[in-house]
């Protein structure tokens, strides 16, 4: 092979197995390998003849290995083993191009060189490229399985462990994703490793101790040249710095210095040439393997392209397909029977194994469609269950009965549908999908059940809230000795009614007794909590309620009329009664009493707050304060709404805020008494009668004085009413005198004016008689009195309005 300036190459081993010592030494000097020390890598490639190994190396490493001329037919191009240096890759990388395996030029009987060259490549190289066609994956010979098995065994026996990278290069990659091809290769390599007999020293040694397995795929060079070149360029990048930690070369424990490379390679080839144990499977088995693999691949390709299968695959993506199982079984049977007819004369073991592989590939292909069909059946069955279940519940059927009937019917429907899509050769288990359907049905039933139970509970809680909130609030507002007994009776009646209704409603769910009792107990607790919450709410407003009750009883009489403080009322008694009623309200609100338990809260409050003022106040006697505590006797803290200390504080605040009303009442009563005491004392009246007897007799003897006195009385009365003297002196003597001094003169002038207007009024009698004339004086007097009275009344009303406005 010619040399070039960019890439120097030489033949290491010729076609007869002779090692070219002179050539390799000259090559090492020319590429200056000795200067590299340990910084070099060796890459080799192996694979079937005419598989494009040399072409790949030339594009990958810019070498100039001889390539096959496709126009001259397929024949052996590379003989023996050739070596070249990669151009433009650091560190220094040597590439070995091995003679293709399974070539017709050597024949069946001379395969020892193939085994020896492969073993040599594995022993010398850091990276071994195994070139193989994509459609050959799984073939025994094409994929170099027997060759690798022998190489593994001999390598372990001949050499110390050295970690080599095996890179499988898949050529002419098809649409099958690399993710699906790579696991198959790795699994086959692991199986080969496990099947190789190992010496005692390496029986437990894993494959990873000797090899790193890499898998890459390249497109067709002839059909997609540009894509092939692009992919090769990307792959080339991986060989840069390949011997660095984590690089492609992997473990470098067994590497020899560059100066000893020629001697080391020569010794390795000598040992390999002297080994006579290497052997490959018989040619008959190999041919059967290759041919059965080709037939299986052909039937698989025909199945993939089958129009009936393509239609089924596309149709099942959008929905269920009628007769899916029957149609698919027919297509599968046709493909397998065709394989049996063509492979009937080949080795039975190989034929059966390849048929099984074909079945597995076909089932792997159709399984997604099968699963999609089962999914459609499951989802359709679930939708039918939901509709049937809703209709049963809407029709009044009991919940558990409806769930049980609809579930059984729909699962049976799924079983019938899954039988129609069964694949005969697969024997796939549909129980997982069936279990998934059952779980979905159970989940839907549980969801509806929870919603129904929540709806029932909310309904009865709403009824309890409506039945208890308002009445309890009203009962607490009118707190008395019968408040809590009435609340207990109301709570018991409404709770029993609600619990009974819920119990009847739960009978259709067929739940266990424990769960049912928990729900009923929860409803009872809700009712109790409702009453307690309302009591706590009212307890928070107890001070306002106490003041309202005090004001109602103190400021209104027994007929609920506003009380007028005339001076005859017993303010002390009224105050005590109103405060006792307020204290009663405080005692009622101090604790929750839903159980018929006796407590002494009212007595304690009365003794500490009301009766304490009537007891001895001797400061030398120290008494225990019953309210100096945070709990009530015989009352647990959970039922306490207002603690004794809080009651004492509230009572103190209550007395402070109501004291003003009592003071105002006392002031009003005293003012009323002062206003009503304008008459002289009885002894003065008696003295006037005794001492004025002569004057009284004089008046009786002269009636004119009586008339003058009467007229004077009327004038004084009119002035009294007009000036509202009693009202003016209600606020004291000095303010009254000042007010009267400003109103006296206008009032006199007003009376004179009205009398003058009355005197000028015309007489309306048309036929006056003597009797009427004789009585005219009396009539005039009467009219004057009426006018005066009218004026007095009018003036009084004005003064009352003025007084009311002034008070406001």
């Amino acid at each position: 092979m010619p040399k070039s300036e960019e890439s120097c190459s030489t033949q290491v081993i010729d076609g007869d197995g002779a090692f070219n010592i002179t050539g390799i030494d000259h090559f090492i000097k020319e590429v200056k390998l000795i200067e590299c020390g340990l910084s070099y890598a060796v890459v080799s490639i192996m694979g079937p003849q005419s598989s494009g190994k040399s072409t790949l190396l030339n594009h990958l490493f810019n070498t100039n290995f001889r390539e096959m001329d496709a126009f001259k037919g397929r024949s052996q191009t590379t003989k023996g083993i050739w070596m070249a240096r990669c151009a433009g890759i650091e560190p220094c990388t040597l590439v070995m191009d091995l003679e293709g395996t399974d070539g017709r030029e050597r024949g069946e009987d001379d395969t020892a060189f193939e085994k020896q060259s492969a073993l040599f490549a594995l022993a010398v190289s850091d990276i071994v490229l195994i070139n193989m066609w994509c459609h050959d994956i799984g073939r025994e010979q094409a994929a170099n399985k027997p060759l690798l098995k022998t190489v593994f065994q001999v390598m372990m026996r001949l050499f110390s462990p050295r970690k080599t990278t095996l890179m499988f290069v898949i050529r002419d990659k098809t649409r099958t994703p690399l993710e699906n091809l790579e696991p198959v290769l790795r699994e086959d390599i692991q199986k080969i490793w496990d099947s190789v007999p190992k010496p005692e020293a390496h029986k437990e040694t894993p494959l990873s101790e000797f090899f790193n397995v890499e898998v890459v795929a390249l497109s067709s060079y002839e059909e997609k040249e540009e894509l092939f070149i692009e992919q090769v360029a990307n792959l080339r990048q991986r060989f840069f710095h390949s011997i660095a930690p984590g690089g492609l070369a992997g473990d470098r424990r067994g590497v020899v210095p560059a100066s000893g490379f020629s001697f080391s390679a020569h010794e390795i080839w000598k040992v390999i040439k002297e080994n006579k144990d290497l052997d490959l499977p018989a040619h008959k088995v190999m041919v059967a393997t290759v041919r059965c693999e080709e037939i299986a691949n052909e039937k698989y390709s025909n199945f993939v392209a089958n129009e009936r299968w393509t239609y089924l695959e596309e149709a099942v993506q959008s929905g269920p397909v009628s007769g899916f199982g029957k149609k698919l079984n027919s297509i599968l049977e046709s493909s397998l029977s065709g394989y049996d007819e063509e492979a009937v004369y080949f080795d039975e073991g190989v034929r059966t194994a390849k048929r099984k592989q074909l079945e597995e590939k076909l089932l792997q292909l159709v399984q997604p469609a099968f699963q999609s069909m089962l999914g459609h059946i499951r989802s359709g069955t679930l939708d039918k269950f939901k509709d049937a279940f809703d209709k049963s519940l809407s029709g009044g059927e009991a919940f558990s009965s409806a769930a049980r009937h609809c579930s059984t019917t729909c699962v049976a429907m799924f079983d019938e549908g899954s039988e129609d899509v069964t694949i005969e050769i697969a024997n796939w288990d549909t129980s997982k999908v069936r279990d998934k359907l059952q779980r979905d049905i159970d989940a839907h039933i549980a969801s509806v059940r929870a919603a129904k139970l929540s709806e029932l509970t909310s309904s009865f809680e709403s009824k309890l809230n409506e039945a208890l909130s308002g009445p309890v609030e009203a009962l607490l507002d009118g707190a008395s000795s019968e408040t809590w007994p009435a609340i207990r009776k109301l709570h018991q009646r409404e709770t029993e009614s609600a619990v009974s209704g819920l119990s009847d409603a739960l009978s259709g769910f067929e739940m266990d007794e424990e769960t049912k009792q928990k729900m009923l107990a929860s409803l009872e607790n809700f009712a109790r909590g409702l009453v307690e919450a309302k009591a706590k709410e009212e307890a928070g407003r107890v001070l306002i309620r106490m003041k309202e009750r005090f004001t109602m009883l103190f400021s209104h009489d027994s007929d609920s009329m506003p009380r007028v403080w005339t001076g005859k009322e017993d303010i002390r008694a009224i105050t005590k009664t109103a405060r006792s009623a307020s204290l009663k309200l405080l005692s009622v609100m101090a604790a929750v009493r839903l159980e018929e338990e006796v407590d002494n809260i009212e007595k304690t409050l009365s003794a500490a707050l009301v009766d304490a003022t009537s007891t001895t106040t001797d400061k030398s006697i120290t008494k225990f304060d019953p309210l100096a505590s945070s709990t009530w006797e015989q009352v647990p803290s959970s039922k306490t709404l207002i603690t004794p200390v809080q009651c004492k504080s509230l009572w103190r605040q209550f007395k402070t805020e109501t004291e003003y009303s009592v003071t105002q009442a006392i002031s009003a009563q005293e003012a009323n008494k002062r206003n009503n005491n304008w008459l002289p004392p009885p002894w003065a009246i008696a003295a006037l009668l005794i001492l004025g007897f002569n004057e009284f007799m004089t008046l009786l003897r002269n009636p004119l004085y009586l008339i003058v006195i009467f007229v004077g009385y009327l004038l004084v009365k009119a002035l009294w009413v007009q000036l509202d003297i009693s009202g003016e002196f209600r606020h004291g003597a000095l303010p009254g005198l000042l007010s009267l001094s400003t109103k006296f003169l206008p009032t006199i002038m007003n009376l004179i004016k009205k009398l003058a207007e009355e005197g000028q009024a015309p007489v309306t009698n048309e036929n006056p008689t003597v009797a009427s004339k004789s009585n005219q004086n009396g009539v005039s007097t009467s009219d004057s009195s009426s006018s005066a009275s009218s004026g007095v009344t009018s003036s009084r009303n004005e003064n009352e309005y003025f007084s009311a406005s002034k008070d406001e």
Side-chain angles (χ1 to χ4, degrees), residues 483-500:
T483 295
W484 281 109
I487 291 176
R488 282 197 296 270
K489 185 176 180 181
L490 173 68
H491 170 262
Q492 183 178 2
R493 182 179 69 249
E494 297 298 337
T495 302
E496 289 178 354
S497 175
V499 168
S500 176

Side-chain angles (χ1 to χ4, degrees), residues 366-666:
V366 303
Q367 188 175 22
F370 174 78
Q371 293 295 334
S372 297
M373 188 63 190
L374 280 182
H376 291 313
I377 296 175
R378 182 191 63 80
S379 60
T381 305
L382 182 61
D383 292 338
K384 292 178 181 178
F385 166 79
K386 292 179 179 179
D387 293 339
F389 188 44
D390 292 341
K391 289 180 180 178
S392 298
L393 293 179
S394 301
E397 187 175 353
F399 184 89
S400 296
S401 176
R404 186 167 48 250
H405 172 71
C406 294
S407 176
T408 303
T409 303
C410 291
V411 170
M413 188 185 305
F414 172 81
D415 292 338
E416 182 179 352
S418 61
E419 289 179 1
D420 294 338
V421 300
T422 301
I423 307 300
E424 296 176 356
I425 63 173
N427 194 27
W428 282 327
D429 186 10
T430 61
S431 60
K432 291 184 178 180
V433 182
R434 187 181 189 274
D435 294 341
K436 178 67 166 59
L437 173 63
Q438 188 64 59
R439 289 195 299 270
D440 292 341
I441 290 175
D442 294 341
H444 181 71
I445 293 174
S447 175
V448 176
R449 176 192 180 95
K452 293 291 184 182
L453 291 176
S454 177
E455 182 180 348
L456 276 175
T457 304
S458 299
S459 175
F460 281 99
E461 287 179 352
S462 177
K463 292 179 180 178
L464 275 175
N465 186 34
E466 183 179 355
L468 291 176
S469 295
V472 168
E473 183 176 355
L475 289 170
L476 291 174
D477 188 28
S480 65
S481 300
E482 297 300 320
T483 295
W484 281 109
I487 291 176
R488 282 197 296 270
K489 185 176 180 181
L490 173 68
H491 170 262
Q492 183 178 2
R493 182 179 69 249
E494 297 298 337
T495 302
E496 289 178 354
S497 175
V499 168
S500 176
L502 180 60
S503 178
D504 294 340
L506 294 177
S507 60
F509 289 87
E510 296 182 2
M511 61 176 58
D512 58 280
E513 190 64 24
E514 182 180 356
T515 304
K516 181 178 180 180
Q517 292 302 322
K518 286 183 178 179
M519 292 189 66
L520 298 179
S522 177
L523 186 62
E524 292 177 353
N525 293 334
F526 174 82
R528 183 183 185 89
L530 193 64
V531 174
E532 292 179 352
K534 183 57 66 175
K536 290 180 181 179
E537 180 182 347
E538 292 299 316
R541 299 196 295 262
V542 66
L543 182 60
I544 299 175
R545 300 290 192 190
M546 289 169 63
K547 291 191 293 184
E548 290 176 352
R549 176 166 292 193
F550 178 84
T551 302
M552 177 60 67
L553 295 177
F554 185 76
S555 301
H556 296 77
D557 56 18
S558 59
D559 296 328
S560 298
M561 296 297 293
R563 195 185 299 275
V564 179
W565 302 105
T566 62
K568 299 178 181 180
E569 298 82 3
D570 188 354
I571 294 180
R572 182 181 298 277
I574 294 172
T575 302
K576 185 175 181 180
T577 301
R579 286 180 175 174
S580 297
S582 299
L583 187 67
K584 179 66 177 179
L585 188 146
L586 180 61
S587 66
V588 169
M589 299 299 298
V592 176
R593 301 176 178 87
L594 287 178
E595 285 79 17
E596 295 184 4
E597 298 177 354
V598 180
D599 59 65
N600 58 355
I601 294 178
E602 184 176 2
K603 293 181 180 179
T604 302
L605 290 175
S606 179
L609 301 177
V610 177
D611 297 342
T613 57
S614 61
T615 60
T616 179
T617 58
D618 188 355
K619 296 183 180 180
S620 61
I621 301 176
T622 302
K623 288 190 174 182
F624 171 72
D625 186 358
L627 299 183
S629 174
S630 60
T631 57
W632 296 105
E633 185 179 355
Q634 300 177 349
V635 178
S637 58
S638 59
K639 297 180 181 179
T640 301
L641 299 177
I642 307 174
T643 63
V645 175
Q646 292 172 338
C647 285
K648 186 174 182 179
S649 177
L650 286 171
W651 184 255
R652 186 183 300 112
Q653 186 177 354
F654 164 75
K655 288 185 66 177
T656 301
E657 295 182 8
T658 57
E659 194 70 32
Y660 179 75
S661 298
V662 178
T663 303
Q664 288 293 99
I666 295 173

